[in-house]
Amino acid sequence: MINEKMLITKNTCIAPNIYEMTVQGDLVDLVLEPGQFVHIKVTEGPLPLLRRPISIASVDKSTKELTLIYRVDGVGTKTLSLSSQGDRVEILGPLGHGFPLDVINQGETAVLVGGGIGVPPLYELSKSLSKKGIKVIHVLGFRTLEDAFYQKQFEELGQTVIVTDDGSSEFKGTVIDALQLLNLNYQVMYACGPTPMLAAIENGYSDKPLYLSLEQRMGCAVGACMACVCHTVDEDDEKGYRKVCSDGPVFKSGEVKLSC
Amino acid sequence: MLNVKLPGLDMKNPVMPASGCFAFGKEYGDLFDLNLLGAIAIKSATKEARFGNPTPRVAETSAGMLNAIGLQNPGVEHILDHELKDLEGIDTPILANIAGRQVDDYVYTAEKMSQSDRVNALELNISCPNVKEGGITFGTVPEIAARLTEKVKAVSEVPVYVKLSPNVTDIVEMAKAVEEAGADGLSMINTLMGMRIDLKTQKPILANKMGGLSGPAIKPVAIRMIYEVSQKVNIPIIGMGGIQNADDVIEFFLAGASAVAVGTANFVDPFCCPNIIKELPEKLKQMNVDHIDELRGRSWGRC
């Protein structure tokens, strides 16, 4: 993990309030696995004071670039959206433990389920799985088709079902509805999205290996401040808790309680 | 030009990470050499292990943050057997923060903790608003704070610093009460009680509803309180509250602090403590100061 003033090579709006930013620097060499994140100081001054945790959507080691996809939802991400190509932004990372790739073999099938701004880290995951010769199926939920992003990029890697609340895509409903209807044959499922979505997936799809990426408000993002903890499911666990920032953000289903 | 000597704490520079903002050092020890620090104030220890409050535990504010972690820690025995063992390889003094629900908890934890070879001084956290004694907090009633200090002093084998809460009407009265009770030093200030409400949900953002405000937003309050107290007591003050850079450290010394602690800024920049330590000598040179101690209390003179 390093703290680096990375060069912004792109920062554009790709859907309502959704920005795709690419940053360049040595930090890229340190990224180990899909699902890791970075902690961004969006401005030099104290407004806003704290960093913003953003998941890594894509890694290109040849150009030393990371792609970060974020939703403008407050003063921090608003400030970040106003930065331009050529600016530098202070980034701490890579952080956390991502999605495991060694739990699935070549020729097998993985289902990747994403909801809203939980979709971005699944893109690097899908690329990595595809590279290993694993068949990928994406089930991605958005509010409306207008809010959807990266549909083409996902389609290039494998079957992609876009699910929308309002039915503006081919599939109306939730990702859970879609999973039930599709009744997919697969070996491992990976998911990232709002906690109620993750809880519903855990409830219905824990019979096969399932990995969930959690979101939580963070302070330090390096495991020191104890802001982002959640309880373990196992009440006899020695510690009784996990830190989303440094033990996660990806956990195997059944390791932590999702109500945190 | 940076070394300072406080009771129990022989520091190569006056900068330590503040309790609760640095865990037990391990995470930051992966990032930089902990021997660079003047001291380390480790996270509050309690008699029993505590999980702490539900999340969200932090909320950002203008130039600050609110936290309600709830003193999560694995309990004093575990800390002595594990977390402090991990710090054995470094020679930086340790200021061990302790908290409790009642006097007996503090006494138990203080006695155990002070017996460790690795602990150089104790810091009493008396800002915990949940105690048995008639619902009155240790941090706001001078007589109760004094009695607690006396009892802890009676069992502690190392010097005792009392961390004062700013949520009081008369901070000088509190400081004098614990000084008379035998405190070897003061840490000030702890966080200010605050709250934020989400406009969308129309509910408090923190699960605990209220939390402690820290960060640059509270620095002027800290400076004022240290300025007042340092002129009325004869024990040293570890100053804290919104320190982000070397200029802030100098301002705390001018107000009357003898050392400083850096809290929230560690979250903004995990390398801020070593960076501040690196910046200080140049700042002192620019001010024609040979030793940082010369700055202590320089603001006290009449206008």
Side-chain angles (χ1 to χ4, degrees):
Chain A
M1 168 200 332
I2 58 168
N3 187 37
E4 185 182 17
K5 285 200 166 169
M6 298 184 79
L7 178 70
I8 298 172
T9 50
K10 182 176 165 188
N11 190 23
T12 52
C13 188
I14 56 170
N17 293 320
I18 303 290
Y19 282 75
E20 180 190 45
M21 172 185 260
T22 55
V23 289
Q24 197 174 47
D26 294 335
L27 190 151
V28 180
D29 297 334
L30 304 173
V31 180
L32 289 177
E33 53 194 7
Q36 287 188 293
F37 67 100
V38 292
H39 212 29
I40 306 183
K41 181 86 181 97
V42 299
T43 175
E44 283 191 9
L47 292 171
L49 181 68
L50 298 176
R51 290 174 183 247
R52 295 297 186 269
I54 308 273
S55 62
I56 297 170
S58 175
V59 185
D60 188 339
K61 297 210 173 177
S62 67
T63 61
K64 287 171 107 65
E65 280 180 307
L66 287 183
T67 303
L68 309 169
I69 297 172
Y70 59 94
R71 183 175 61 207
V72 173
D73 200 26
V75 62
T77 42
K78 176 75 196 167
T79 306
L80 191 61
S81 74
L82 297 174
S83 52
S84 318
Q85 188 181 337
D87 291 349
R88 286 194 181 263
V89 62
E90 202 177 307
I91 299 186
L92 179 73
L95 300 164
H97 293 90
F99 296 105
L101 300 172
D102 56 2
V103 293
I104 185 163
N105 302 312
Q106 189 175 356
E108 294 186 320
T109 302
V111 175
L112 283 58
V113 189
I117 202 59
V119 168
L122 299 180
Y123 182 57
E124 181 61 30
L125 172 64
S126 185
K127 284 201 301 177
S128 303
L129 290 169
S130 299
K131 229 177 272 169
K132 270 189 69 177
I134 289 150
K135 189 181 163 200
V136 287
I137 301 173
H138 316 105
V139 179
L140 310 176
F142 298 97
R143 229 160 33 89
T144 70
L145 189 58
E146 198 198 357
D147 293 308
F149 55 86
Y150 265 46
Q151 186 174 354
K152 262 192 197 140
Q153 286 91 328
F154 278 103
E155 278 168 350
E156 279 170 18
L157 297 167
Q159 183 189 346
T160 302
V161 180
I162 303 289
V163 187
T164 46
D165 295 347
D166 70 345
S168 50
S169 69
E170 72 217 81
F171 207 110
K172 180 179 175 171
T174 66
V175 292
I176 310 298
D177 299 333
L179 286 172
Q180 275 167 2
L181 250 149
L182 293 162
N183 195 21
L184 300 163
N185 186 14
Y186 71 95
Q187 278 71 43
V188 179
M189 187 181 283
Y190 301 92
C192 183
T195 306
M197 182 196 103
L198 298 181
I201 292 174
E202 182 163 62
N203 195 31
Y205 296 89
S206 287
D207 53 328
K208 289 184 192 171
L210 168 64
Y211 294 87
L212 307 169
S213 181
L214 273 58
E215 188 179 46
Q216 185 55 265
R217 279 172 188 268
M218 290 177 189
C220 68
V222 298
C225 78
M226 313 300 276
C228 64
V229 298
C230 47
H231 285 277
T232 52
V233 172
D234 178 5
E235 286 178 3
D236 296 327
D237 182 84
E238 197 203 336
K239 279 195 297 182
Y241 67 90
R242 295 288 183 273
K243 295 180 267 195
V244 173
C245 70
S246 55
D247 296 321
V250 176
F251 295 96
K252 189 167 200 286
S253 165
E255 186 176 357
V256 295
K257 287 185 186 167
L258 291 178
S259 52
C260 63
Chain B
M1 74 196 309
L2 292 181
N3 63 308
V4 293
K5 204 168 175 159
L6 278 72
L9 305 172
D10 197 351
M11 301 164 63
K12 44 182 127 23
N13 65 69
V15 181
M16 70 179 85
S19 177
C21 301
F22 208 71
F24 298 93
K26 183 176 172 294
E27 291 78 10
Y28 290 94
D30 290 342
L31 298 177
F32 62 84
D33 182 1
L34 299 180
N35 287 306
L36 294 169
L37 300 168
I40 300 174
I42 56 175
K43 187 162 171 54
S44 280
T46 52
K47 185 180 176 184
E48 70 295 334
R50 286 200 199 176
F51 180 75
N53 294 321
T55 56
R57 292 174 168 189
V58 292
E60 193 169 33
T61 66
S62 293
M65 71 177 272
L66 291 164
N67 89 81
I69 305 295
L71 299 179
Q72 179 163 13
N73 80 96
V76 62
E77 268 93 10
H78 193 282
I79 293 169
L80 289 167
D81 292 344
H82 298 92
E83 282 77 5
L84 281 174
K85 288 258 171 355
D86 291 344
L87 290 170
E88 269 173 4
I90 62 151
D91 63 6
T92 306
I94 304 284
L95 177 62
N97 187 295
I98 61 170
R101 284 199 177 83
Q102 46 188 320
V103 173
D104 292 348
D105 295 349
Y106 279 96
V107 170
Y108 178 90
T109 310
E111 188 169 9
K112 288 255 168 198
M113 197 61 108
S114 72
Q115 287 166 356
S116 164
D117 292 342
R118 200 59 200 84
V119 170
N120 302 84
L122 297 181
E123 183 179 55
L124 290 192
N125 179 356
I126 57 166
S127 316
C128 189
N130 178 21
V131 287
K132 260 190 180 175
E133 302 197 7
I136 309 163
T137 73
F138 287 107
T140 53
V141 179
E143 295 75 25
I144 293 178
R147 210 167 74 222
L148 177 70
T149 306
E150 266 171 26
K151 296 229 166 157
V152 168
K153 272 295 288 179
V155 298
S156 177
E157 295 181 13
V158 293
V160 175
Y161 292 72
V162 180
K163 189 165 182 176
L164 300 183
S165 165
N167 304 303
V168 295
T169 314
D170 188 346
I171 190 78
V172 173
E173 194 190 357
M174 282 298 298
K176 288 174 86 167
V178 297
E179 180 186 34
E180 275 164 30
D184 298 285
L186 302 169
S187 291
M188 53 189 291
I189 58 175
N190 209 322
T191 55
L192 287 148
M193 285 297 282
M195 186 167 172
R196 256 194 77 193
I197 298 167
D198 189 313
L199 266 59
K200 282 184 211 154
T201 63
Q202 307 188 359
K203 296 274 185 271
I205 291 179
L206 295 176
N208 192 52
K209 299 187 179 74
M210 288 169 235
L213 179 66
S214 62
I218 72 163
K219 200 185 83 179
V221 179
I223 294 289
R224 185 268 290 179
M225 287 186 160
I226 291 164
Y227 176 84
E228 284 188 321
V229 169
S230 59
Q231 297 180 71
K232 294 286 160 72
V233 300
N234 294 308
I235 49 178
I237 296 172
I238 301 169
M240 66 200 72
I243 293 175
Q244 288 203 297
N245 52 45
D247 283 353
D248 293 338
V249 174
I250 288 166
E251 192 176 348
F252 273 76
F253 267 79
L254 294 173
S258 298
V260 296
V262 178
T264 305
N266 290 296
F267 307 155
V268 179
D269 177 4
F271 299 94
C272 78
C273 285
N275 286 345
I276 290 172
I277 293 162
K278 208 165 78 186
E279 283 169 25
L280 272 172
E282 187 56 36
K283 287 279 173 194
L284 296 181
K285 252 185 244 164
Q286 286 168 13
M287 296 174 82
N288 284 319
V289 170
D290 294 330
H291 197 282
I292 192 158
D293 241 1
E294 295 168 26
L295 296 172
R296 186 159 49 86
R298 263 201 193 174
S299 67
W300 295 344
R302 287 166 201 273
C303 293

